[in-house]
Amino acid sequence: MTAKYVIGVDGGTESIRAGVFDLEGTPLSFASAPYPTSFPAPGWAEQAPADWWAGLGAAVKQAVSKAGVDPSSVGAICVDTTCCTVVALDAAGQALRPALLWMDMRSAGQAARVAACGDEALAVNGAGAGPVSAEWMVPKALWLKENEPEVFEKAATICEYQDFINFHLTGRMVASVNNASIRWHYSTQRPGGWPTGMLQKLGLEALQHKWPQAVLPLGAVVGGLTEAAAAHLGLPTGLPVAQGGADADIGMIGLGVTRPGQLALLTGSSHLHLGVTDKIFHGKGIWGVYPDAILPGVHMVEGGQTSTGSAVAWFKRMVGEEGYATLDAEAAAVPPGSEGVVCLDHFQGNRTPHTDALSRGAIAGLALAHGRGHVFRALIESICYGTEHIFETMRDNGFTPASVTVAGGATRSDLWLQTHADVSNVPFILTKVADAPALGCAILAAVAAGLHPDVSSACAAMVHQDRVVMPNAERHAQYRQHYAAYKALYPALKPVFHSAAAAREAEATLATAAAAADGSRQQGVAQQQQREALHSIVSPSILSADFANLARDVKRVVEAGAEWVHVDVFDGVFVPNLTIGPPVVKSLHKNVPDAFLDCHLCTVHPENYVEELAAAGARQFTFHIEAPGIDFSCGAAAALAARARALGMLSGIALKPETPVDSILPLLGAGAVDTVLLLAVRAGFGGQKFNPAVLPKVAAVRAAFGGNIIVDGGITLDNAQSVAEAGANALVAGTTVFAGKEPPEVAVPGLVSLIASGRGSWPASAAATANGQA
């Protein structure tokens, strides 16, 4: 029978939806099958791949039945899916664990390290400025390697929902150039395509061999339905399966957005802006350009707003309206600019162009004469201003949207559409088929079946324009001054948002840590019991090493038995000395990979260095309670310590000689740090004489703390034992080890022995505390 129909399938977050289309793009039927999402921990989201497969079969069978077509008249099928939903498969293509759904944020720490690795592949992340989202492939895979190594090692393939479905349909494991380009750091412009350098920097080289090795363009034939897959779907064996991609990007094709200068605006609770360009460029405040991500020679640039429809829905709930008709009418009666009311649409942060998760929404300019119509219009205008700011950023970087094709919730409001067009001075186009992703899949299926010669021809035949909203030049001119007021809000309010976020995080972190520590005490088990017993540690400071031969000297002391290597990071402001930074840490990690790099930050803003040092290879991140960025706040210190721990480092807090111990007791009681560093000398310079006034502080800390206590400054073979007797189990000894009378091979073991002897004389109570006993 001659093929007359195609099937487009949209694998979404909550369900999978199949549609049967004719060759003119008319939908004959739709059917969907839901599947559950589990949330095993805050920020985690998982799905069972078997549920996707079961839902696909049910949805396709039902759609074909509802359409009343003969399965033999179907020419091809194509599936789009959520992106980036990551799954680990065995050699048979079966899932080894539940898939990490696109919204799963557990790999936030890994994402920060990816962003800090400095690789050229990060050009698509704001021209390297970042950030990298925890949604993306590499952070998720890195989380699996570090937290579930048995799964990572056993996995024959690590891929996406898209690839899993196509494998089970055809028996062929391939990747989509679309998914790989936009979320895997793959690039058709790079030899081999893969981000090999990035993976090497992250110690993730094995991932490249676990990815599908074939990468197909959209609409290419993956293969034919296997006999088992055909039975599962109720379709003919051998039916062509077209390569799909990410749901939103396939929606671009369903809107007919495939030519340079066009832009797809996908609206809902958020806005997604996907532009088509024939030029490759990168810039701060945008994502992409992703080369060949749509079609060969057709590249994509991306922007996004996090709170659009969700912000409007919030206001509707706040004022007690069930629908939008009344609010739309009230807002339409208010002139452009809302008579001085201006809003900031960052209710859940800003995705682009600021990329600031801490920014928040705001309503400014209110007076007693204003009503809810003013606020509602101002909210809509703020969303349109946010879109225009993204367009402006795109224009500044080389892409000018000539037209915008829009789909989703905003299309139901004439006021909203007209405001968008007026603010941006661009025509807004609406198409007849609202389900753009499913239609996009149908278009790709038609091309794979040979029913249309190429994607452009298929779009011309299957995508039909409904209407065009033209901009009003007079209102556009009015909006320019109001747009300027909108742009001024974020820089003015950013310090307020960031201060408030820091305070919330600090309070929450400290409260959580304190509750955990209190719970441990109630059970008779202290936090320290969760780690190994304390070691007797020598940490030679590289301030006394030969910097011309730094890697050689560090390697020598490590081989002599130094368990840690002390790396001082001074910014020249917090202390009057300027030393090395993260690049030297990175070099030491590369040349002496076995060295435990114990980084001590004497900096004004230690919070600015945590991700970069983690990526460089630091193993411990110690910062000062006196630093202006912390300012004696145990809450702020706990929050920063938690960030360091989340990135795989130990966290430490440091005190200058004049700082009393009680300034950090809440931090210690909460179990928020692993190490306390007590300076016995003035910070910033090596070779100073030890000040015994530090010893009572050591004893006071040991009485309250079971973790590592390290004393820094003036340590020699003559005083090491007495310092250990006071309660220290770790000593910084730069001059003694690197430039002392004895070589490191003698000095290091000698110091370790003295520390061990000193610890032997600890009172029973101190020994019990350090060994995690109540």
Side-chain angles (χ1 to χ4, degrees), residues 622-707:
T622 299
F623 57 94
H624 275 264
I625 192 72
E626 307 95 345
I630 304 300
D631 196 24
F632 292 93
S633 166
C634 284
L640 182 55
R643 283 173 59 193
R645 284 174 165 176
L647 293 172
M649 298 183 288
L650 296 184
S651 63
I653 193 71
L655 278 74
K656 290 182 176 181
E658 65 272 19
T659 302
V661 169
D662 59 10
S663 64
I664 62 166
L665 289 180
L667 198 65
L668 306 187
V673 294
D674 304 287
T675 299
V676 174
L677 183 149
L678 298 172
L679 279 169
V681 297
R682 184 168 62 98
F685 302 92
Q688 299 180 65
K689 186 177 180 180
F690 176 76
N691 183 352
V694 75
L695 297 179
K697 291 176 66 175
V698 175
V701 173
R702 178 54 70 205
F705 182 57

Side-chain angles (χ1 to χ4, degrees), residues 502-531:
R504 290 193 302 269
E505 182 181 13
E507 291 170 6
T509 302
L510 194 56
T512 300
D518 187 56
S520 293
R521 284 191 292 271
Q522 290 175 5
Q523 297 170 26
V525 180
Q527 275 193 340
Q528 186 64 19
Q529 205 167 32
Q530 299 172 6
R531 302 192 294 268

Side-chain angles (χ1 to χ4, degrees), residues 79-102:
V79 182
D80 75 58
T81 60
T82 58
C83 178
C84 174
T85 294
V86 175
V87 60
L89 306 176
D90 64 16
Q94 299 303 314
L96 295 170
R97 68 170 325 283
L100 277 61
L101 193 58
W102 66 270

Side-chain angles (χ1 to χ4, degrees), residues 592-610:
V592 195
D594 293 336
F596 181 102
L597 299 177
D598 165 32
C599 293
H600 171 204
L601 282 82
C602 288
T603 61
V604 172
H605 289 290
E607 68 275 14
N608 292 342
Y609 300 95
V610 59

Side-chain angles (χ1 to χ4, degrees), residues 665-747:
L665 289 180
L667 198 65
L668 306 187
V673 294
D674 304 287
T675 299
V676 174
L677 183 149
L678 298 172
L679 279 169
V681 297
R682 184 168 62 98
F685 302 92
Q688 299 180 65
K689 186 177 180 180
F690 176 76
N691 183 352
V694 75
L695 297 179
K697 291 176 66 175
V698 175
V701 173
R702 178 54 70 205
F705 182 57
N708 295 305
I709 298 176
I710 185 166
V711 174
D712 184 358
I715 297 297
T716 67
L717 291 164
D718 295 326
N719 60 29
Q721 183 166 336
S722 63
V723 179
E725 288 173 353
N729 67 295
L731 302 177
V732 175
T735 303
T736 298
V737 172
F738 283 114
K741 297 178 181 178
E742 303 291 347
E745 291 77 11
V746 174

Side-chain angles (χ1 to χ4, degrees), residues 396-765:
D396 289 344
N397 284 287
F399 172 72
T400 299
S403 67
V404 176
T405 305
V406 60
T411 62
R412 294 190 287 271
S413 169
D414 289 342
L415 172 65
W416 200 344
L417 286 175
Q418 189 64 58
T419 305
H420 261 310
D422 292 345
V423 168
S424 294
N425 201 32
V426 175
F428 272 61
I429 301 168
L430 286 80
T431 57
K432 288 186 176 180
V433 176
D435 200 328
L439 177 56
C441 282
I443 289 168
L444 295 176
V447 173
L451 302 172
H452 287 295
D454 53 48
V455 173
S456 295
S457 299
C459 285
M462 299 176 72
V463 180
H464 305 286
Q465 194 175 101
D466 184 35
R467 61 190 177 102
V468 180
V469 178
M470 296 300 296
N472 179 291
E474 182 180 348
R475 284 196 295 266
H476 173 68
Q478 289 178 289
Y479 275 127
R480 296 312 295 169
Q481 68 182 53
H482 304 306
Y483 172 58
Y486 164 85
K487 286 175 63 178
L489 275 183
Y490 171 72
L493 294 175
K494 178 180 176 180
V496 177
F497 296 144
H498 282 236
S499 295
R504 290 193 302 269
E505 182 181 13
E507 291 170 6
T509 302
L510 194 56
T512 300
D518 187 56
S520 293
R521 284 191 292 271
Q522 290 175 5
Q523 297 170 26
V525 180
Q527 275 193 340
Q528 186 64 19
Q529 205 167 32
Q530 299 172 6
R531 302 192 294 268
E532 294 181 359
L534 295 179
H535 294 189
S536 298
I537 298 168
V538 175
S539 186
S541 171
I542 66 170
L543 283 179
S544 299
D546 178 1
F547 268 62
N549 298 283
L550 187 57
R552 181 204 65 188
D553 278 11
V554 169
K555 184 176 181 182
R556 183 180 180 186
V557 299
V558 170
E559 291 176 346
E563 189 168 335
W564 294 356
V565 174
H566 196 72
V567 181
D568 288 298
V569 179
F570 302 157
D571 61 5
V573 180
F574 185 71
V575 295
N577 192 7
L578 184 66
T579 62
I580 60 93
V584 174
V585 175
K586 183 177 182 180
S587 177
L588 283 175
H589 178 62
K590 178 180 178 181
N591 289 285
V592 195
D594 293 336
F596 181 102
L597 299 177
D598 165 32
C599 293
H600 171 204
L601 282 82
C602 288
T603 61
V604 172
H605 289 290
E607 68 275 14
N608 292 342
Y609 300 95
V610 59
E611 283 82 12
E612 192 174 1
L613 281 171
R619 300 288 299 279
Q620 179 155 258
F621 183 89
T622 299
F623 57 94
H624 275 264
I625 192 72
E626 307 95 345
I630 304 300
D631 196 24
F632 292 93
S633 166
C634 284
L640 182 55
R643 283 173 59 193
R645 284 174 165 176
L647 293 172
M649 298 183 288
L650 296 184
S651 63
I653 193 71
L655 278 74
K656 290 182 176 181
E658 65 272 19
T659 302
V661 169
D662 59 10
S663 64
I664 62 166
L665 289 180
L667 198 65
L668 306 187
V673 294
D674 304 287
T675 299
V676 174
L677 183 149
L678 298 172
L679 279 169
V681 297
R682 184 168 62 98
F685 302 92
Q688 299 180 65
K689 186 177 180 180
F690 176 76
N691 183 352
V694 75
L695 297 179
K697 291 176 66 175
V698 175
V701 173
R702 178 54 70 205
F705 182 57
N708 295 305
I709 298 176
I710 185 166
V711 174
D712 184 358
I715 297 297
T716 67
L717 291 164
D718 295 326
N719 60 29
Q721 183 166 336
S722 63
V723 179
E725 288 173 353
N729 67 295
L731 302 177
V732 175
T735 303
T736 298
V737 172
F738 283 114
K741 297 178 181 178
E742 303 291 347
E745 291 77 11
V746 174
V748 172
L751 287 167
V752 171
S753 177
L754 291 168
I755 296 169
S757 296
R759 291 175 61 196
S761 65
W762 285 359
S765 58

